[in-house]
Amino acid sequence: MPDTPLAPVLLGNTPGSFPHSVLAERHPAIIGQVREAFPYGPGQHRALDELLAACADGVIEPLPADAPDRDRWRQWDLPDHEGRSWYDVPWLWAESYFYRRLLDAVGYFGSGAWRGVDPFRPFKRAELDAPETDEELAALDALGELPEEERARALLHGSLWGNRADLGFRLSAAGAEASEPVPALVADDSDVLWSLLPPGGAGTLVLVADNAGRELVPDLLLIAHLLAEKRIARAVLHVKPYPYYVSDATTADVVDALNRLRAAPGAAGVYGRALWTAMADGRLDVTAHPFSCAPLPFARMPDDLRADFAGAALTIVKGDLNYRRLVGDRRWPPTTPFSEVTAGFPGAVAALRTLKSEVITGLSVQTEAALVAAEDERWRTSGTHALIQVRPSPEAQRQ
């Protein structure tokens, strides 16, 4: 995707902008939270201080010479950005590199006792173990009385809204938004999505996960339902190979979520045990491709990952960060067609996303006007709106 005046790459160098606030405020706050979450030693505290100073008014520095992924990051444009301000490189790149350097600071890639210790694990576990999770899982029991199509719709909305699963179930009712002047769901291609996952389907669903904890659980529940109702024959869950963006899911987080489900009473426990069995017999696979932590759009994915997506009946891309990578982290005009900006993605793709950053495509003129009139530009980042956007495979579009 070439850089054009209509769709410039987002940077963090405009004070008052959302990207600037993430770099200037959110990242220092995350350093403080990580510092307090573990009894780190003096060396780690010094490294965190250095990262904090670099983020404030320093420049991007190279990875250590012994970094295991140094060559990979050099392929991911690190030489082009070394020596530049964090605010003057693409925002997606700066955010991703911040988390990579944070892991260095706490010894995640080192040879000491802190090697492989997820600095975000306490936050993920606290959310997964919260009483609200029990309430959301208990709500699953009522879904068993609904027809399959209504259960599927409810679980799709649960996955869409993540830890607002109660709202997702409410939205599953027909006409739930009819009286709203500005819809919570600003784009809804769910009918197209279901046409790609029909009853009796024998294909593979790929789900590119977003957050762990209470947001990963609904993703797993959706997969369990699709397998049980034979809308798919197999599912592949893509997670991050190492901790990323505070709450992004890793394989360890998948295991935590499955154990949380298996231990729950009622329908949640049934789903959890079914998923455990599906992993054992190969109907559910978990994979962690290095590119999942790349600071780059999906347009630059490697050939092996492209082949995985091309072979799926549908790839569901979850969450805000993955949406930015899918369409390109640019300030597109909101009415730019979703099918246009995802034309290079191999195979059919669906985006399930709550709006938490400025990037947006695929809105109607009327919807954009209503959102701006009601909320100015706050709708882009407030998390109170969501979308389901689908682009069928190129072959299906030609038929």
PDB file of all heavy atoms in Angstrom, residues 140-159:
ATOM      1  N   LEU A 140     -23.913 -18.330  29.866  1.00  0.00           N
ATOM      2  CA  LEU A 140     -23.931 -19.293  28.769  1.00  0.00           C
ATOM      3  C   LEU A 140     -25.042 -20.329  28.927  1.00  0.00           C
ATOM      4  O   LEU A 140     -25.540 -20.864  27.938  1.00  0.00           O
ATOM      5  CB  LEU A 140     -22.588 -20.018  28.682  1.00  0.00           C
ATOM      6  CG  LEU A 140     -21.378 -19.198  28.245  1.00  0.00           C
ATOM      7  CD1 LEU A 140     -20.108 -19.995  28.466  1.00  0.00           C
ATOM      8  CD2 LEU A 140     -21.513 -18.797  26.789  1.00  0.00           C
ATOM      9  N   ASP A 141     -25.443 -20.620  30.169  1.00  0.00           N
ATOM     10  CA  ASP A 141     -26.459 -21.653  30.389  1.00  0.00           C
ATOM     11  C   ASP A 141     -27.770 -21.310  29.689  1.00  0.00           C
ATOM     12  O   ASP A 141     -28.451 -22.186  29.165  1.00  0.00           O
ATOM     13  CB  ASP A 141     -26.695 -21.844  31.889  1.00  0.00           C
ATOM     14  CG  ASP A 141     -25.483 -22.435  32.593  1.00  0.00           C
ATOM     15  OD1 ASP A 141     -24.628 -23.029  31.902  1.00  0.00           O
ATOM     16  OD2 ASP A 141     -25.380 -22.284  33.824  1.00  0.00           O
ATOM     17  N   ALA A 142     -28.103 -20.015  29.676  1.00  0.00           N
ATOM     18  CA  ALA A 142     -29.363 -19.605  29.060  1.00  0.00           C
ATOM     19  C   ALA A 142     -29.334 -19.748  27.548  1.00  0.00           C
ATOM     20  O   ALA A 142     -30.392 -19.880  26.912  1.00  0.00           O
ATOM     21  CB  ALA A 142     -29.681 -18.157  29.435  1.00  0.00           C
ATOM     22  N   LEU A 143     -28.146 -19.737  26.960  1.00  0.00           N
ATOM     23  CA  LEU A 143     -28.065 -19.830  25.512  1.00  0.00           C
ATOM     24  C   LEU A 143     -28.446 -21.214  25.004  1.00  0.00           C
ATOM     25  O   LEU A 143     -28.827 -21.363  23.846  1.00  0.00           O
ATOM     26  CB  LEU A 143     -26.642 -19.502  25.040  1.00  0.00           C
ATOM     27  CG  LEU A 143     -26.143 -18.076  25.268  1.00  0.00           C
ATOM     28  CD1 LEU A 143     -24.748 -17.920  24.685  1.00  0.00           C
ATOM     29  CD2 LEU A 143     -27.088 -17.063  24.662  1.00  0.00           C
ATOM     30  N   GLY A 144     -28.319 -22.224  25.851  1.00  0.00           N
ATOM     31  CA  GLY A 144     -28.614 -23.583  25.422  1.00  0.00           C
ATOM     32  C   GLY A 144     -30.046 -23.786  24.987  1.00  0.00           C
ATOM     33  O   GLY A 144     -30.348 -24.735  24.253  1.00  0.00           O
ATOM     34  N   GLU A 145     -30.936 -22.914  25.425  1.00  0.00           N
ATOM     35  CA  GLU A 145     -32.355 -23.045  25.064  1.00  0.00           C
ATOM     36  C   GLU A 145     -32.676 -22.383  23.731  1.00  0.00           C
ATOM     37  O   GLU A 145     -33.798 -22.516  23.231  1.00  0.00           O
ATOM     38  CB  GLU A 145     -33.208 -22.425  26.169  1.00  0.00           C
ATOM     39  CG  GLU A 145     -32.972 -23.044  27.544  1.00  0.00           C
ATOM     40  CD  GLU A 145     -33.714 -22.297  28.638  1.00  0.00           C
ATOM     41  OE1 GLU A 145     -34.417 -21.320  28.300  1.00  0.00           O
ATOM     42  OE2 GLU A 145     -33.591 -22.696  29.810  1.00  0.00           O
ATOM     43  N   LEU A 146     -31.728 -21.678  23.141  1.00  0.00           N
ATOM     44  CA  LEU A 146     -31.976 -20.953  21.904  1.00  0.00           C
ATOM     45  C   LEU A 146     -31.713 -21.838  20.694  1.00  0.00           C
ATOM     46  O   LEU A 146     -30.925 -22.786  20.764  1.00  0.00           O
ATOM     47  CB  LEU A 146     -31.076 -19.723  21.819  1.00  0.00           C
ATOM     48  CG  LEU A 146     -31.229 -18.668  22.916  1.00  0.00           C
ATOM     49  CD1 LEU A 146     -30.197 -17.556  22.711  1.00  0.00           C
ATOM     50  CD2 LEU A 146     -32.637 -18.096  22.916  1.00  0.00           C
ATOM     51  N   PRO A 147     -32.340 -21.536  19.548  1.00  0.00           N
ATOM     52  CA  PRO A 147     -31.984 -22.230  18.305  1.00  0.00           C
ATOM     53  C   PRO A 147     -30.511 -22.006  17.966  1.00  0.00           C
ATOM     54  O   PRO A 147     -29.916 -20.996  18.386  1.00  0.00           O
ATOM     55  CB  PRO A 147     -32.903 -21.573  17.263  1.00  0.00           C
ATOM     56  CG  PRO A 147     -34.032 -20.994  18.044  1.00  0.00           C
ATOM     57  CD  PRO A 147     -33.452 -20.588  19.364  1.00  0.00           C
ATOM     58  N   GLU A 148     -29.950 -22.911  17.194  1.00  0.00           N
ATOM     59  CA  GLU A 148     -28.514 -22.854  16.921  1.00  0.00           C
ATOM     60  C   GLU A 148     -28.090 -21.531  16.314  1.00  0.00           C
ATOM     61  O   GLU A 148     -27.049 -20.966  16.691  1.00  0.00           O
ATOM     62  CB  GLU A 148     -28.117 -24.008  15.987  1.00  0.00           C
ATOM     63  CG  GLU A 148     -26.601 -24.190  15.835  1.00  0.00           C
ATOM     64  CD  GLU A 148     -25.974 -23.273  14.781  1.00  0.00           C
ATOM     65  OE1 GLU A 148     -26.686 -22.919  13.818  1.00  0.00           O
ATOM     66  OE2 GLU A 148     -24.793 -22.913  14.923  1.00  0.00           O
ATOM     67  N   GLU A 149     -28.849 -21.004  15.381  1.00  0.00           N
ATOM     68  CA  GLU A 149     -28.461 -19.757  14.732  1.00  0.00           C
ATOM     69  C   GLU A 149     -28.401 -18.603  15.729  1.00  0.00           C
ATOM     70  O   GLU A 149     -27.527 -17.736  15.638  1.00  0.00           O
ATOM     71  CB  GLU A 149     -29.419 -19.427  13.589  1.00  0.00           C
ATOM     72  CG  GLU A 149     -29.262 -20.335  12.378  1.00  0.00           C
ATOM     73  CD  GLU A 149     -30.080 -19.859  11.198  1.00  0.00           C
ATOM     74  OE1 GLU A 149     -30.735 -18.804  11.301  1.00  0.00           O
ATOM     75  OE2 GLU A 149     -30.058 -20.554  10.154  1.00  0.00           O
ATOM     76  N   GLU A 150     -29.315 -18.584  16.680  1.00  0.00           N
ATOM     77  CA  GLU A 150     -29.297 -17.525  17.687  1.00  0.00           C
ATOM     78  C   GLU A 150     -28.136 -17.707  18.658  1.00  0.00           C
ATOM     79  O   GLU A 150     -27.513 -16.733  19.093  1.00  0.00           O
ATOM     80  CB  GLU A 150     -30.632 -17.491  18.444  1.00  0.00           C
ATOM     81  CG  GLU A 150     -31.802 -17.039  17.595  1.00  0.00           C
ATOM     82  CD  GLU A 150     -33.066 -16.868  18.418  1.00  0.00           C
ATOM     83  OE1 GLU A 150     -32.965 -16.482  19.609  1.00  0.00           O
ATOM     84  OE2 GLU A 150     -34.152 -17.141  17.888  1.00  0.00           O
ATOM     85  N   ARG A 151     -27.827 -18.941  19.008  1.00  0.00           N
ATOM     86  CA  ARG A 151     -26.660 -19.178  19.864  1.00  0.00           C
ATOM     87  C   ARG A 151     -25.381 -18.755  19.158  1.00  0.00           C
ATOM     88  O   ARG A 151     -24.506 -18.118  19.769  1.00  0.00           O
ATOM     89  CB  ARG A 151     -26.577 -20.663  20.241  1.00  0.00           C
ATOM     90  CG  ARG A 151     -27.494 -21.057  21.396  1.00  0.00           C
ATOM     91  CD  ARG A 151     -27.277 -22.505  21.771  1.00  0.00           C
ATOM     92  NE  ARG A 151     -27.864 -23.410  20.798  1.00  0.00           N
ATOM     93  CZ  ARG A 151     -27.273 -24.473  20.277  1.00  0.00           C
ATOM     94  NH1 ARG A 151     -26.027 -24.782  20.628  1.00  0.00           N
ATOM     95  NH2 ARG A 151     -27.897 -25.247  19.408  1.00  0.00           N
ATOM     96  N   ALA A 152     -25.283 -19.105  17.883  1.00  0.00           N
ATOM     97  CA  ALA A 152     -24.097 -18.727  17.123  1.00  0.00           C
ATOM     98  C   ALA A 152     -23.952 -17.209  17.065  1.00  0.00           C
ATOM     99  O   ALA A 152     -22.859 -16.667  17.237  1.00  0.00           O
ATOM    100  CB  ALA A 152     -24.183 -19.304  15.710  1.00  0.00           C
ATOM    101  N   ARG A 153     -25.055 -16.514  16.840  1.00  0.00           N
ATOM    102  CA  ARG A 153     -25.018 -15.055  16.779  1.00  0.00           C
ATOM    103  C   ARG A 153     -24.592 -14.472  18.124  1.00  0.00           C
ATOM    104  O   ARG A 153     -23.778 -13.546  18.194  1.00  0.00           O
ATOM    105  CB  ARG A 153     -26.388 -14.521  16.373  1.00  0.00           C
ATOM    106  CG  ARG A 153     -26.489 -12.995  16.342  1.00  0.00           C
ATOM    107  CD  ARG A 153     -27.885 -12.556  15.932  1.00  0.00           C
ATOM    108  NE  ARG A 153     -28.102 -11.143  16.195  1.00  0.00           N
ATOM    109  CZ  ARG A 153     -27.777 -10.161  15.368  1.00  0.00           C
ATOM    110  NH1 ARG A 153     -27.179 -10.444  14.223  1.00  0.00           N
ATOM    111  NH2 ARG A 153     -28.013  -8.902  15.680  1.00  0.00           N
ATOM    112  N   ALA A 154     -25.147 -15.012  19.201  1.00  0.00           N
ATOM    113  CA  ALA A 154     -24.796 -14.507  20.525  1.00  0.00           C
ATOM    114  C   ALA A 154     -23.320 -14.708  20.823  1.00  0.00           C
ATOM    115  O   ALA A 154     -22.646 -13.827  21.365  1.00  0.00           O
ATOM    116  CB  ALA A 154     -25.656 -15.193  21.589  1.00  0.00           C
ATOM    117  N   LEU A 155     -22.778 -15.878  20.471  1.00  0.00           N
ATOM    118  CA  LEU A 155     -21.368 -16.153  20.734  1.00  0.00           C
ATOM    119  C   LEU A 155     -20.463 -15.323  19.830  1.00  0.00           C
ATOM    120  O   LEU A 155     -19.365 -14.931  20.244  1.00  0.00           O
ATOM    121  CB  LEU A 155     -21.089 -17.644  20.554  1.00  0.00           C
ATOM    122  CG  LEU A 155     -21.724 -18.531  21.637  1.00  0.00           C
ATOM    123  CD1 LEU A 155     -21.659 -19.990  21.249  1.00  0.00           C
ATOM    124  CD2 LEU A 155     -21.056 -18.302  22.988  1.00  0.00           C
ATOM    125  N   LEU A 156     -20.909 -15.037  18.623  1.00  0.00           N
ATOM    126  CA  LEU A 156     -20.149 -14.147  17.755  1.00  0.00           C
ATOM    127  C   LEU A 156     -20.047 -12.759  18.378  1.00  0.00           C
ATOM    128  O   LEU A 156     -18.975 -12.149  18.409  1.00  0.00           O
ATOM    129  CB  LEU A 156     -20.806 -14.058  16.378  1.00  0.00           C
ATOM    130  CG  LEU A 156     -20.147 -13.100  15.381  1.00  0.00           C
ATOM    131  CD1 LEU A 156     -18.760 -13.604  14.984  1.00  0.00           C
ATOM    132  CD2 LEU A 156     -21.029 -12.919  14.147  1.00  0.00           C
ATOM    133  N   HIS A 157     -21.155 -12.261  18.904  1.00  0.00           N
ATOM    134  CA  HIS A 157     -21.132 -10.950  19.546  1.00  0.00           C
ATOM    135  C   HIS A 157     -20.352 -10.971  20.854  1.00  0.00           C
ATOM    136  O   HIS A 157     -19.711  -9.977  21.218  1.00  0.00           O
ATOM    137  CB  HIS A 157     -22.562 -10.443  19.775  1.00  0.00           C
ATOM    138  CG  HIS A 157     -23.171  -9.838  18.555  1.00  0.00           C
ATOM    139  ND1 HIS A 157     -22.998  -8.530  18.213  1.00  0.00           N
ATOM    140  CD2 HIS A 157     -23.927 -10.394  17.572  1.00  0.00           C
ATOM    141  CE1 HIS A 157     -23.640  -8.277  17.083  1.00  0.00           C
ATOM    142  NE2 HIS A 157     -24.203  -9.392  16.669  1.00  0.00           N
ATOM    143  N   GLY A 158     -20.377 -12.099  21.545  1.00  0.00           N
ATOM    144  CA  GLY A 158     -19.539 -12.217  22.733  1.00  0.00           C
ATOM    145  C   GLY A 158     -18.069 -12.094  22.376  1.00  0.00           C
ATOM    146  O   GLY A 158     -17.298 -11.416  23.056  1.00  0.00           O
ATOM    147  N   SER A 159     -17.658 -12.743  21.273  1.00  0.00           N
ATOM    148  CA  SER A 159     -16.279 -12.633  20.817  1.00  0.00           C
ATOM    149  C   SER A 159     -15.963 -11.220  20.356  1.00  0.00           C
ATOM    150  O   SER A 159     -14.878 -10.697  20.609  1.00  0.00           O
ATOM    151  CB  SER A 159     -16.037 -13.636  19.675  1.00  0.00           C
ATOM    152  OG  SER A 159     -14.734 -13.531  19.170  1.00  0.00           O
TER     153      SER A 159
END
